[in-house]
Amino acid sequence: MDNSNLPSYLEYKGKYKGIFAWIFSTDHKRIGLLYLYSIMAMFLVAALLGLLMKTELIAPGKTIMEAKAYNAVFTLHGITMIFLVVVPGIPAILGNFFLPIMIGAKDVFYPRLNLLSWWLYIIGAIVAISSQFMGTGSPDTGWTFYAPYSFKTQSNILPALIGAFILGFSSILTGLNFIVTMHRMRAPGMKWLKMPLFPWTLYGTAWIQLLATPVVGITLLMVVAEKVLNIGFFDPTLGGDPILYQHLFWIYSHPAVYIMILPAMGVISEVIPTFAKKEIFGYNAIVLSTMLIAFVGYFVWGHHMFTAGMSETSLFAFSFLTFIVAIPSAIKIFNWLATLYKGSIMLRTPMYWAVSFLFVFMIGGLTGMVLGALATNVHLHDTAFVVAHFHFIVFGGLGFAFFAGIHYWFPKIFGRMYDEAWANTGWIIFFMGFLTLYFPMFLLGIQGMPRRYYDYVPEFHSTNIISSFGAFIMIAGLIVIIINLFRSAKKGEKAPKSPWGGKTLEWTIPSPPPLENFEEIPEIK
Amino acid sequence: MEDSEHKIVSFKTYGLVLIALIIFTLFSVYVTRLDLGNFSIAAALTIAGLKSILVFSIFMHLFYDKKMYALMVLGVLVVMTIVLIITFLDYGY
């Protein structure tokens, strides 16, 4: 299966030239890179907004912006990070690039639909961001668009809602494409329980994308209908129910957390065995726990609403189910730890990210249990504690796993190695900045500091200073990481086929891969 | 495509399904007049579910296709049913 003589997907000359060879390409690898660049651009914008928020919070009272501007900034930060970065995140970038290769296929099942998904992403992003620059002022509802405020606010909320709706389509089509690809295009001999774990997590994720996303799409359209046509879905004065909005919103948005975290777990399940030089411990248990997380994850949304005024039966049911979902997550953690046990561990950049993922994800998971318990939730609801927990899970989970994945697969994607000394320096600065930024927010939350406020009482000042400094440290680490990767993509040393000794199919083909990955579809023994 | 053989469903079957769908629609209008308390939405959803099964099975050929696809749709329906039941825990109880 020597296909090293074929031109790589980066060099291949197709029907179109220049930028059109990218934006009209149906090659899953080029589409993966389109997502990489567009999502990274959105991430940098949203990270900058986060930095502005932390700068505002460095002292009580007005520091750099007024309360209204702060509301707009945290709303745009949330909408951008959630809908444009973390939900598409790993599946759209690493999934698109590696899913077909890892299952021994030449592309996804519907390559044109795949390109359409990226175009929908771009259109949705433009519509959502346009809400900032036209009409009656930037949206100020937060990324959750809670009714009844979302249809009473005078701010320009409609484009943001419609943008999120279009982005939902992009997500659904990607999920559908991945499911069909895995059912129909696995290489001969690759039975379900021989499939690598990253595709398995993409499979679980794809089902969530397919089933949960339409719920939020319809819900956002209901808000639009309520705002434009005065139909009473959620407004009590029109006979609607605001709690129903929260139910419908979280029926999607909690599973969305698993859209974010499951592929992250898949990346970690690839990185750890490669750098421990061992087979993954408990493959079947990890597969089962992936599907269990995807399944049970549908039924826990109510823990976002413990203080909203639900019935007692619901409170108990949701609290119980929330504790249940911790079990499959813990199964994964124990399996990763067992894989490390007596392994021949190579501490390279992807492994640093993977082990720091374990650390921050466990803190995020355990503080999730604090929020899942009814008694403590009442006190911590809508405080900085929730923001800290959420960032430990989503940024600490998905973000760290994404950086683990991009450092792991970078040689395969670009065919070049990166400077590991700079990559490790970036990681340690980022890691320290992350902890300094978010850990104090747990303390602030326990002390009672509410989230989404641009001002606070003087008692919270010193802890906020530490947290804000953490934000600057973390951004410094991010700059080091990004500059190093960009520079290395052009000037790094040429990468071999398998620089880390990985065992999955992507390491059997040249770096970077040729257009259709395999000259002959491999047979799995 | 491995399963290129397509079942041709007769007009008679389609006609019967159409009649069944119309009867179910009339029935769903009728049940809105009954006072079923907490179960009024459950009744409406059950009728809608039965109509969906007919459409999935006959019009969308699920009945004649590989059982795997029926299993996948069934899984989706199970998830959605549980979601609805849990949601209504907040309203009925």
Side-chain angles (χ1 to χ4, degrees), chain A residues 272-430:
Chain A
I272 285 181
T274 301
F275 290 92
K277 297 279 171 214
K278 271 177 74 183
E279 284 203 10
I280 191 94
F281 182 89
Y283 170 93
N284 290 351
I286 293 185
V287 169
L288 186 66
S289 64
T290 297
M291 297 317 282
L292 271 176
I293 289 174
F295 181 70
V296 184
Y298 280 111
F299 313 128
V300 300
W301 76 87
H303 64 225
H304 294 269
M305 303 163 55
F306 282 162
T307 59
M310 282 195 299
S311 72
E312 282 204 359
T313 317
S314 290
L315 292 176
F316 285 121
F318 281 120
S319 184
F320 174 74
L321 288 164
T322 301
F323 276 83
I324 293 285
V325 84
I327 296 171
S329 306
I331 287 173
K332 286 189 191 298
I333 297 276
F334 289 127
N335 278 296
W336 292 325
L337 291 178
T339 307
L340 291 172
Y341 180 66
K342 287 191 177 174
S344 176
I345 294 172
M346 288 197 301
L347 276 176
R348 310 289 290 270
T349 311
M351 191 61 163
Y352 282 123
W353 283 105
V355 288
S356 48
F357 163 93
L358 293 181
F359 181 72
V360 291
F361 181 71
M362 279 203 292
I363 294 176
L366 292 170
T367 50
M369 293 294 92
V370 175
L371 291 169
L374 291 169
T376 42
N377 182 283
V378 174
H379 300 284
L380 295 170
H381 186 87
D382 260 351
T383 67
F385 189 95
V386 177
V387 183
H389 155 73
F390 182 73
H391 283 81
F392 262 83
I393 285 286
V394 175
F395 202 7
L398 177 132
F400 277 55
F402 174 76
F403 284 120
I406 202 78
H407 283 94
Y408 178 55
W409 281 307
F410 183 93
K412 185 57 60 184
I413 297 173
F414 295 101
R416 292 184 183 272
M417 300 302 290
Y418 48 83
D419 186 322
E420 269 200 81
W422 277 113
N424 293 343
T425 309
W427 163 76
I428 192 71
I429 297 172
F430 187 94

Side-chain angles (χ1 to χ4, degrees), chain A residues 183 241 247 310-311 314 318, chain B residues 68 72 86 89-91 93:
Chain A
H183 274 272
D241 179 1
H247 274 300
M310 282 195 299
S311 72
S314 290
F318 281 120
Chain B
M68 177 69 174
M72 287 162 96
I86 299 176
L89 280 180
D90 189 24
Y91 288 88
Y93 305 94

Side-chain angles (χ1 to χ4, degrees), chain A residues 17 32 36 62 72 80 90 135 194 210 229 274 307 368 385 478 508:
Chain A
K17 285 188 181 147
L36 173 67
K62 183 192 164 189
T80 312
I90 293 180
K194 280 191 175 178
L210 200 60
L229 306 171
T274 301
T307 59
F385 189 95
L478 188 64
T508 63

Side-chain angles (χ1 to χ4, degrees), chain B:
Chain B
M1 304 288 272
E2 57 200 73
D3 45 353
S4 54
E5 195 181 306
H6 287 287
K7 162 91 179 168
I8 308 292
V9 183
S10 68
F11 278 115
K12 189 181 162 193
T13 311
Y14 282 138
L16 286 173
V17 172
L18 178 66
I19 292 165
L21 288 174
I22 292 169
I23 292 170
F24 275 130
T25 306
L26 294 173
F27 189 54
S28 63
V29 174
Y30 172 71
V31 292
T32 58
R33 296 176 188 184
L34 302 175
D35 183 11
L36 297 174
N38 283 340
F39 292 98
S40 57
I41 292 174
L45 286 174
T46 307
I47 298 168
L50 290 171
K51 287 164 72 180
S52 312
I53 289 170
L54 279 177
V55 173
F56 283 143
S57 319
I58 313 293
F59 287 160
M60 296 173 78
H61 284 212
L62 206 58
F63 187 73
Y64 312 103
D65 221 322
K66 280 183 172 177
K67 293 296 164 235
M68 177 69 174
Y69 301 131
L71 206 65
M72 287 162 96
V73 174
L74 187 72
V76 171
L77 289 177
V78 167
V79 168
M80 284 311 172
T81 310
I82 299 174
V83 164
L84 283 171
I85 289 170
I86 299 176
T87 307
F88 280 93
L89 280 180
D90 189 24
Y91 288 88
Y93 305 94

